[in-house]
Amino acid sequence: MATTVTPEPEVLSPFEEIAALERNYLVQNYARYPLALHRGKGCYVYDLEGNRYLDLISGIGVNSLGYAHPRITKIIRQQAGLLLHTSNLYYHEYQGRLAERLAKITGLKRSFFCNSGAEAMETALKMIRAHGNSVSPKKINIISLDNSFHGRTLGALSITGQPKYRKDFEPLLPGASFVARNDLQALEAAVNENTAGIVLEVIQGEGGIYPVSEPFARKARELADRYNALLVFDEIQCGVGRPGSHFAYQLFDTPIMPDIVIAAKPMACGIPLGVVVATENAGTSIKPGMHGSTYGGGPLACRVALEFFDILDELLPSINSVGVYFRMKLTELMRQFPFIKEVRGQGLMIGVELAFSGKQLVLDGIREGLLFNCTHDLVLRFLPPYIITEQDVDRAISALTKVLRNAKKPDGAQ
Ligand SMILES: Cc1ncc(COP(=O)(O)O)c(C=O)c1O
């Protein structure tokens, strides 16, 4: 007689045990919040005790379709039963198809796939170097912006315009220099015939949600053309649907084309995938054997990304409308809480600048069932999943109102 096997109930370790193991065995580079997540559904995640949290940070802009999205879950299950990894020794069905999709979306011709934002940035830096070297050994300079963030690898750090991230690892790549965002004169003064590349976040993310102006981006394009340098847009945080268009550079009144755009976070809904999409000229600066990535562009990640882009086409209008609604509701809070100095952003990339540090508010938010983070000490950052609705925003605003009402303001703050 067949017996029915009841699945063992999942036994979860108590939070303290999880935290203690990490304390004992992990490199202590992260300052985690006191919360261990167990599962998620839609825009919500659940901790070990089953408490629910509305997620407005989505794994720092990665969980673009929230959690357990039925179409993504189905694709992952199917592909797991077929083929997870091939290496780039062989072809598979999805890498070329995804590259074709990206070419149509970006207007750029050639893609290289990798596994993270920093790896995409490294690839773009190698394209810049290879391009510069093909012109002159002196053409090695790269201009990027003060307050920028491009990743944690040594190359990406070299062009990250925040000394706090760089200082422990110097000397870094030679030839990097920084100009103030939106300072056209400073940019003009910095670029010359030895400039091989100009790298910009179209909207600075980690730096506090600051867009570059259209005239500044246009000036960067003009100078890159004048001095035969590559213009790179880092859209790892601000791109791939988050601004309400496929890429933030497409929102300028007259679009400004980069030579290279790099993307990562939201593209495969939590499965690591980064990409560099380049013009024919920039893309062919990398010749056979000059670059590679063992995992880059595997069948699982590429197939999930193809499904994601199908779903994104349906979601773009609501990313825009819910983004406008969210910013309007946050702006209304400014009347009640004068310590909110500014609400800024585009689509579902939103920053709320405070008159004092927002770090405690993040912890208070967790207690109210709301996840967001704080960047640059003063800026509450919201990068919710693209499936968020106005109803979810209403819920978020009422929890946030409680948090703000109880905020302990430092002496002197209103
Ligand atoms: C604009 C930008 N560039 C690069 C990176 C680095 O990406 P990753 O953490 O995937 O290496 C980030 C990460 O937050 C980012 O926001």
Side-chain angles (χ1 to χ4, degrees):
M1 202 173 78
T3 50
T4 319
V5 180
T6 319
E8 290 278 327
E10 205 171 342
V11 181
L12 300 175
S13 318
F15 174 80
E16 255 323 309
E17 226 172 83
I18 294 173
L21 270 178
E22 291 209 356
R23 224 171 16 251
N24 289 338
Y25 291 107
L26 288 188
V27 172
Q28 294 296 296
N29 57 320
Y30 295 117
R32 296 198 208 286
Y33 299 119
L35 175 65
L37 298 176
H38 174 50
R39 67 185 179 90
K41 182 90 187 127
C43 290
Y44 292 85
V45 284
Y46 297 80
D47 68 14
L48 305 172
E49 279 93 42
N51 299 310
R52 191 171 89 142
Y53 303 82
L54 174 52
D55 184 6
L56 301 179
I57 188 69
S58 55
I60 320 189
V62 168
N63 300 318
S64 48
L65 301 181
Y67 299 89
H69 189 285
R71 282 171 64 180
I72 297 299
T73 307
K74 185 171 164 199
I75 289 283
I76 292 173
R77 285 211 172 103
Q78 275 179 5
Q79 193 57 37
L82 292 171
L83 197 62
L84 287 176
H85 173 72
T86 53
S87 84
N88 284 297
L89 292 174
Y90 309 106
Y91 293 92
H92 64 77
E93 196 179 332
Y94 303 106
Q95 202 176 128
R97 272 173 54 191
L98 182 58
E100 179 189 42
R101 186 80 179 248
L102 284 162
K104 284 187 182 143
I105 289 171
T106 59
L108 301 168
K109 179 76 194 300
R110 295 201 175 267
S111 283
F112 171 84
F113 293 103
C114 54
N115 307 287
S116 68
E119 196 186 353
M121 191 69 249
E122 290 300 316
T123 308
L125 291 172
K126 282 176 83 172
M127 285 181 176
I128 289 173
R129 265 294 171 83
H131 164 76
N133 275 330
S134 74
V135 179
S136 145
K138 288 197 186 138
K139 199 172 176 67
I140 61 158
N141 294 344
I142 302 178
I143 312 295
S144 64
L145 301 189
D146 289 338
N147 196 45
S148 57
F149 184 83
H150 297 291
R152 304 285 196 157
T153 50
L154 289 175
L157 277 183
S158 306
I159 60 153
T160 286
Q162 300 188 57
K164 68 175 178 193
Y165 292 120
R166 290 202 315 268
K167 68 178 173 34
D168 295 307
F169 305 102
E170 285 170 338
L172 295 166
L173 279 184
S177 60
F178 303 94
V179 299
R181 182 178 49 90
N182 296 342
D183 185 338
L184 276 71
Q185 280 176 349
L187 184 64
E188 178 120 34
V191 182
N192 56 42
E193 61 282 356
N194 291 334
T195 305
I198 304 172
V199 184
L200 314 173
E201 285 165 272
V202 180
I203 306 169
Q204 288 184 338
E206 197 275 344
I209 322 292
Y210 288 105
V212 299
S213 69
E214 179 156 349
F216 187 80
R218 197 167 302 290
K219 175 60 81 180
R221 177 70 273 170
E222 186 192 307
L223 291 166
D225 287 340
R226 193 188 307 162
Y227 292 107
N228 187 19
L230 297 180
L231 177 62
V232 180
F233 288 162
D234 177 346
E235 295 228 13
I236 286 161
Q237 190 163 149
C238 68
V240 204
R242 185 156 297 284
S245 57
H246 283 107
F247 286 96
Y249 73 84
Q250 296 165 332
L251 287 169
F252 293 128
D253 286 337
T254 354
I256 298 164
M257 288 299 287
D259 297 290
I260 296 171
V261 65
I262 59 175
K265 290 179 181 285
M267 223 175 11
C269 309
I271 294 186
L273 179 66
V275 70
V276 177
V277 197
T279 56
E280 181 70 12
N281 176 45
T284 51
S285 65
I286 298 288
K287 312 264 182 308
M290 279 170 65
H291 193 52
S293 174
T294 299
Y295 293 109
L300 179 71
C302 288
R303 190 172 171 197
V304 169
L306 280 164
E307 187 72 7
F308 161 77
F309 277 115
D310 281 348
I311 298 169
L312 180 62
D313 288 342
E314 298 160 23
L315 283 176
L316 282 175
S318 79
I319 292 174
N320 267 306
S321 61
V322 178
V324 167
Y325 183 75
F326 197 175
R327 275 175 281 138
M328 181 190 81
K329 289 284 170 184
L330 288 166
T331 306
E332 279 172 18
L333 289 180
M334 290 174 81
R335 260 180 261 138
Q336 217 175 322
F337 304 106
F339 58 81
I340 299 180
K341 292 296 161 203
E342 193 178 22
V343 174
R344 50 181 181 258
Q346 184 70 48
L348 290 174
M349 179 176 190
I350 301 172
V352 173
E353 183 160 337
L354 305 174
F356 51 84
S357 171
K359 282 184 183 148
Q360 181 58 41
L361 300 191
V362 174
L363 293 166
D364 298 343
I366 293 174
R367 254 172 253 125
E368 292 299 330
L370 203 59
L371 305 188
F372 52 92
N373 88 335
C374 172
T375 188
H376 256 238
D377 200 36
L378 299 178
V379 183
L380 304 183
R381 177 170 49 171
F382 301 96
L383 304 169
Y386 299 172
I387 54 171
I388 191 171
T389 62
E390 291 189 2
Q391 246 182 344
D392 296 320
V393 169
D394 288 341
R395 245 181 232 145
I397 293 291
S398 89
L400 193 61
T401 305
K402 267 197 206 161
V403 168
L404 295 171
R405 197 175 290 136
N406 297 325
K408 284 198 192 62
K409 299 177 271 299
D411 293 344
Q414 293 190 339

